[in-house]
Amino acid sequence: MKILVINAGSSSLKYQLFDMDTGDVIAKGLCEKIGIGGAITHKRPGKEDYHEEVTFRDHDDAIALVLKLLTDPTLGVIADLSEIDAIGNRVAHGGEKLRRSMLVGDEEINYLYSIVPINPLHGPPAIKGIEACRRLMPGKPLACVFDTSFYATLPDYAYIYPIPYEYYEKYQVRRYGFHGTSHRYVTERAEALVGKPLSELKVITCHLGNGSSITATKYGKAVDTSMGFTPQEGLPMGTRSGSIDPTVVTYLQRVEGLSPEEADKMLNSKSGLLGVSGVSSDGREVWAAANEGNARARLAIDILAYDIKKIIGSYVAAMNGVDVLVFTAGIGENDRALRARVCADMEYLGIAINEDVNMNGPRGKELELTAEGARVKTFVIPTDEEYMIALDTQRLLSK
Ligand code: ADP
């Protein structure tokens, strides 16, 4: 069985074609500058990458070129589109109604349109990607996998904000949580690595990348997560503030005369690692500056490490324990020094890692960091959201 996974952003679109019989990616690539120019990079294992500058008026153009390349006599990997059994689309937000991965039709797509006001950045491009797949491959089973759906199991006291309840009823203002597909993937992998069923495990997963979130999963069900109504809540990120006293925003709006849009921009694009360090949003550059003695770069890392610790601690309290701790995504998988900082002085919680393995273990592989005698099993698990989407799509087809 072959499944095409599509992840559409506002001006870019990633794709991967999986052979589910082997689990292999047989082609993948990236379309960039959609609507503002265009370029495609198409990759096949063991072959030279193909790059072409083109014009993408919209997502239709991009997906049309992807399909053309996949079936191209020299650059392609399949003879024709009938070899693709289904398409799996990544969708960041499923709102309150779309709470599991599913095959979608008009009704679900109309619902996605209706929740664009609470998902203005990621909603429109995802819908465009879905619509383009429907137009270009009519009748092909089309699944959506929602980043929010892993959080369908959150108890109400974890997702309702203590503001007037009418705002939840009127505008669906609540915690939704994001990165769910990544947290779900690494949680399922943790189950395999520990060799115990999730129904017996309390797991904390740290997805630390440009965007970062931490999720608590108790006996197989997500019970809390650090991202909220939007991917803004929780940890400080590359350019996002994460959680701050909400009245800081209204105060700054008053004293700086910021409009709501300017305040959003300040919180989304000028804060986090970049805002504190003044150096970069990229973890590597912030570390480099900190190591050269830049005090604000050091401070940005101190804040991040401290906030990760605090959220881990709060989830241990929420679950009355933790058995497994996982690091994933760009920073989680690669930033050994940050992992060391986070896991230092956590013996009280049963967390301790082997310094040598943490600092010198192989990159890009699943790696157990647990120190001898530590109660909590700590792992690095490279995330693979695309494979999770392909697996969900395959599971839906076989139902
Ligand atoms: P996204 O959230 O966009 O998917 P990624 O998961 O790819 O992002 O993570 C990107 C982040 O990972 C960048 O901020 C990058 O600096 C950081 N990163 C990658 N490698 C390292 C490293 N060795 N040390 C510190 N940060 C790293």
Side-chain angles (χ1 to χ4, degrees):
M1 178 183 286
K2 294 195 178 68
I3 291 175
L4 177 63
V5 173
I6 301 280
N7 182 354
S10 55
S11 67
S12 70
L13 182 147
K14 290 186 225 159
Y15 61 95
Q16 290 198 14
L17 182 64
F18 286 90
D19 181 344
M20 298 309 286
D21 301 329
T22 58
D24 292 337
V25 175
I26 48 181
K28 67 175 181 179
L30 171 68
C31 303
E32 293 170 282
K33 297 186 255 175
I34 298 172
I36 46 173
I40 190 166
T41 307
H42 177 68
K43 301 183 178 198
R44 295 155 301 159
K47 304 226 168 103
E48 208 169 300
D49 293 354
Y50 173 77
H51 184 84
E52 188 185 349
E53 301 285 324
V54 290
T55 303
F56 291 139
R57 284 165 304 176
D58 51 26
H59 290 69
D60 264 47
D61 279 357
I63 293 183
L65 182 58
V66 170
L67 300 180
K68 186 166 163 267
L69 286 183
L70 289 175
T71 52
D72 184 85
T74 47
L75 297 168
V77 289
I78 51 175
D80 69 80
L81 294 181
S82 65
E83 285 188 44
I84 299 176
D85 295 281
I87 306 156
N89 267 278
R90 180 194 180 191
V91 182
H93 208 317
E96 286 228 283
K97 285 215 180 113
L98 307 180
R99 314 255 38 203
R100 58 185 169 76
S101 301
M102 58 180 73
L103 296 170
V104 297
D106 289 339
E107 193 186 329
E108 291 78 19
I109 294 169
N110 288 336
Y111 179 72
L112 289 178
Y113 273 110
S114 77
I115 59 166
V116 164
I118 58 168
N119 183 30
L121 286 183
H122 300 108
I127 297 169
K128 279 184 197 154
I130 296 167
E131 300 266 36
C133 289
R134 294 227 297 176
R135 267 192 294 277
L136 296 164
M137 285 177 282
K140 191 78 73 187
L142 187 68
C144 283
V145 175
F146 305 98
D147 273 9
T148 47
S149 69
F150 191 42
Y151 304 110
T153 50
L154 255 51
D156 53 3
Y157 53 80
Y159 72 73
I160 294 292
Y161 291 117
I163 57 174
Y165 194 78
E166 67 195 79
Y167 296 133
Y168 167 58
E169 295 174 307
K170 253 166 105 176
Y171 306 117
Q172 297 89 51
V173 172
R174 50 161 287 178
R175 177 186 311 286
Y176 288 100
F178 297 89
H179 290 149
T181 310
S182 171
H183 287 286
R184 189 156 57 92
Y185 174 78
V186 297
T187 303
E188 287 190 12
R189 287 301 309 151
E191 175 181 46
L193 292 170
V194 172
K196 254 192 185 181
L198 282 181
S199 58
E200 292 174 16
L201 294 173
K202 298 169 184 173
V203 184
I204 296 177
T205 46
C206 306
H207 176 113
L208 311 173
N210 278 317
S212 300
S213 64
I214 303 187
T215 292
T217 303
K218 187 177 184 182
Y219 306 144
K221 287 182 177 162
V223 291
D224 208 346
T225 193
S226 60
M227 280 182 167
F229 178 56
T230 69
Q232 173 67 244
E233 197 181 344
L235 295 170
M237 313 182 203
T239 59
R240 285 176 239 163
S241 64
S243 297
I244 58 171
D245 178 343
T247 53
V248 168
V249 183
T250 46
Y251 175 74
L252 289 178
Q253 285 188 296
R254 260 180 253 120
V255 295
E256 289 267 310
L258 299 181
S259 66
E261 291 71 25
E262 287 166 332
D264 267 349
K265 191 163 180 210
M266 180 273 290
L267 294 167
N268 260 306
S269 331
K270 298 184 183 172
S271 298
L273 288 179
L274 173 67
V276 176
S277 71
V279 170
S280 172
S281 64
D282 189 300
R284 284 161 293 203
E285 290 173 19
V286 179
W287 267 115
N291 290 336
E292 282 167 14
N294 183 315
R296 273 173 47 190
R298 185 198 42 77
L299 177 60
I301 292 166
D302 287 349
I303 296 171
L304 176 61
Y306 179 66
D307 280 2
I308 296 169
K309 263 179 184 287
K310 273 205 302 194
I311 294 180
I312 292 172
S314 70
Y315 289 169
V316 174
M319 295 195 289
N320 187 21
V322 57
D323 302 301
V324 185
L325 175 67
V326 179
F327 290 95
T328 192
I331 294 178
E333 291 166 32
N334 297 300
D335 192 339
R336 301 157 187 265
L338 186 84
R339 290 197 304 251
R341 287 282 296 276
V342 169
C343 296
D345 304 324
M346 298 272 258
E347 301 85 6
Y348 185 80
L349 299 184
I351 297 168
I353 60 173
N354 180 310
E355 255 175 64
D356 179 43
V357 176
N358 181 53
M359 295 312 287
N360 304 311
R363 268 186 216 278
K365 289 205 164 76
E366 292 176 345
L367 185 66
E368 177 159 8
L369 305 180
T370 318
E372 215 180 303
R375 202 173 57 249
V376 177
K377 291 196 168 294
T378 301
F379 294 96
V380 177
I381 302 181
T383 194
D384 195 344
E385 288 157 292
E386 282 77 13
Y387 184 61
M388 189 80 250
I389 293 168
L391 264 185
D392 275 5
T393 306
Q394 183 185 34
R395 287 169 187 166
L396 287 167
L397 284 192
S398 59
K399 261 188 195 165

